[in-house]
Structure formats: structure tokens, C-alpha cells
Amino acid sequence: MIPDYLEKKWLKIVFLFPIGICLIWIWFKTGYIIKDNQLKIQYGPFKKNIKIDEIHSIRKTKNPFTAPALSMDKIEINYSRHRTIAISPKNKTEFVHQLLKQSPHIKTECNFIDSPNN
């Protein structure tokens, strides 16, 4: 039932190799930097810059469909007009404190800052 062209080993390698490289690139090149009043997000070949002044609120989330985060334990950042992104920095509490230092108007959940497991 499988078409003959799908049984060719070289064809599988041609299609699967780039996908594997991209996944490895995302795994090892995911990071978040706060610099020059911007949150710089990099996940593999993709980059996103968010002005910290545009961030409205931050909350905890475990939504598996929001990326770029390698963990299920994430923080969701709402910015601009109805834009959302979830990230998973290693030290979430410190990360949020750094954002709040640069922009104190950002709203956070009450239990977010006080939680010991960040």
C-alpha cells in the first residue's frame, strides 16, 4: 500500500535530516535576554524582540501550545495589542524582577513573585 517512492531510503533522509537539524537547533539555541529596554527571544533560527514598555502583564502558564519554551512550566507575556508569547527562563522569579525593574507598570499574578518554585 505504500507508494514506491516512499520506500527509497535517500528520500527519507532528504526530508527528515533538515527537520532533525532544525529541532536540534531549537533545542540548543533557545534563550531570552533583557537588553536595551527589549526582551530578546531566540529559538533556533527564529528571533523576536519585544519592547519591555509594551508588556502589559505576566502570568504563569502550563499551556503546551505556546512556544518558544522548552518546558511546560512557563511564563506567559501579554504585550502590544492582544499579543501573547510564553517563555521558560531558568529562574522565572529573577527574570520577572528584571522586567519589573525596567517597567514597573507590568501586572503580575499575586502568587507569581512569592512562589518558591520559580
Side-chain angles (χ1 to χ4, degrees), residues 40-84:
K40 298 179 183 214
I41 302 169
Q42 179 173 357
Y43 45 110
F46 310 105
K47 294 181 182 180
K48 182 172 208 66
N49 292 330
I50 299 170
K51 292 179 183 176
I52 294 175
D53 295 336
E54 293 180 354
I55 297 175
H56 304 292
S57 63
I58 300 172
R59 69 180 187 101
K60 288 183 178 181
T61 185
K62 292 192 186 252
N63 185 345
F65 302 110
T66 53
L70 300 175
S71 167
M72 288 293 292
D73 186 24
K74 308 171 207 174
I75 57 176
E76 182 180 89
I77 298 173
N78 297 302
Y79 65 100
S80 290
R81 185 170 232 171
H82 310 293
R83 307 281 319 257
T84 301

Side-chain angles (χ1 to χ4, degrees), residues 18-31:
I19 293 169
I21 293 296
C22 190
L23 290 174
I24 290 170
W25 192 358
I26 289 171
W27 183 265
F28 288 106
K29 270 305 228 185
T30 296

